[in-house]
Amino acid sequence: MLKEAVRRLLWLGPTLLVVTLPIFWAIARATDLTARAPSSPLPLFFNPSPAGVRERALAAVSLVASGGDAASDGAETLARLGGAALPFVLAEFDALGPDARGRVALSLTPIARRMGIGAAADLDTPEAAVVLWNRFWEEHAIDFRPAVVRRAVRRFVEHPSALRASEVSELDTVALEDLIDAFGHVKTADDAIRVRHVTDLVAHMTDRPWTVALGASPEAAARIVRCLNGPAPI
């Protein structure tokens, strides 16, 4: 009897695997076909080569640098990735030719405006844009390290101010993960105030209208948190 029980236990794992995989595939296909646009390049069941920010940013840089018809698509991708792409994009500057470097630098203009860096004259020409981004990276590359980002977000969340909001804004989307982590549990009026400050920055970085109104209840703030804790904004 013990031998039979052991045999059944050993077969339990493979049986569950054989039964679960087809069911999971069928459910994923049914939901994805209705929820996902037909033109989406994402796989329905399994992605053997997931692309992160680095891969997407470098692919976008190649499109912009080429100056072809797809350059606008690359620029749009870079604008959406925002500050999270800068460590990878700016590291590629030296490997690009002068014209390609200028095109890439200009494509980062929406990010610069969102971050609040540079004057209008700094973004008028490719040459000026290259100088702006080279100078910015020399001065602020260290600010994009994970530990520094977490510290800046924590300071803002604990003691919000215009200056600290500006510091986090200059990090742009690279701070999104830490900002969303800062939502925490929303149960009290103080929690709602914290969420309001954080969502203001998240909305600014992502161009999404997920903000908490002044004086909103904890319940209203919690609803926004649930939305933002879904798929990544970028």
Side-chain angles (χ1 to χ4, degrees):
M1 179 178 251
L2 179 61
K3 189 175 181 180
E4 179 66 15
V6 171
R7 186 181 67 82
R8 288 178 178 274
L9 285 174
L10 290 176
W11 275 103
L12 184 60
T15 302
L16 286 175
L17 188 65
V18 169
V19 172
T20 303
L21 283 178
I23 293 176
F24 179 77
W25 178 86
I27 293 174
R29 182 171 177 80
T31 55
D32 285 346
L33 285 176
T34 56
R36 192 172 284 164
S39 60
S40 174
L42 295 177
L44 295 177
F45 182 57
F46 174 67
N47 186 359
S49 302
V53 173
R54 180 181 184 277
E55 291 78 14
R56 293 168 63 190
L58 294 181
V61 167
S62 296
L63 292 177
V64 175
S66 69
D69 295 336
S72 60
D73 293 335
E76 182 180 347
T77 297
L78 290 176
R80 188 168 63 253
L81 293 175
L86 291 181
F88 312 109
V89 175
L90 299 181
E92 288 294 301
F93 266 24
D94 290 341
L96 299 173
D99 292 340
R101 190 183 308 139
R103 284 191 290 269
V104 173
L106 276 183
S107 73
L108 302 177
T109 296
I111 303 176
R113 289 174 177 161
R114 198 163 61 217
M115 294 166 66
I117 63 171
D122 295 323
L123 302 167
D124 278 347
T125 65
E127 295 78 11
V130 169
V131 171
L132 167 69
W133 285 113
N134 280 333
R135 185 174 65 243
F136 174 83
W137 200 241
E138 287 175 2
E139 297 173 356
H140 297 282
I142 192 173
D143 297 337
F144 282 70
R145 294 181 179 178
V148 180
V149 174
R150 282 194 296 271
R151 188 162 59 247
V153 171
R154 186 175 64 250
R155 285 200 305 264
F156 167 74
V157 172
E158 293 175 351
H159 302 286
S161 68
L163 177 60
R164 288 176 175 170
S166 175
E167 291 174 351
V168 178
S169 289
E170 283 194 8
L171 300 170
D172 200 51
T173 55
V174 77
L176 277 178
E177 182 177 358
D178 291 295
L179 285 170
I180 291 176
D181 285 346
F183 285 145
H185 298 291
V186 185
K187 296 181 179 179
T188 67
D190 287 341
D191 294 334
I193 293 172
R194 180 187 70 248
V195 168
R196 175 169 60 83
H197 289 304
V198 174
T199 53
D200 283 346
L201 280 180
V202 171
H204 175 71
M205 294 172 182
T206 61
D207 293 326
R208 302 293 180 91
W210 291 327
T211 56
V212 174
L214 182 65
S217 66
E219 293 77 15
R223 284 195 295 271
I224 299 298
V225 167
R226 285 195 292 273
C227 290
L228 287 167
N229 276 327
I234 61 171

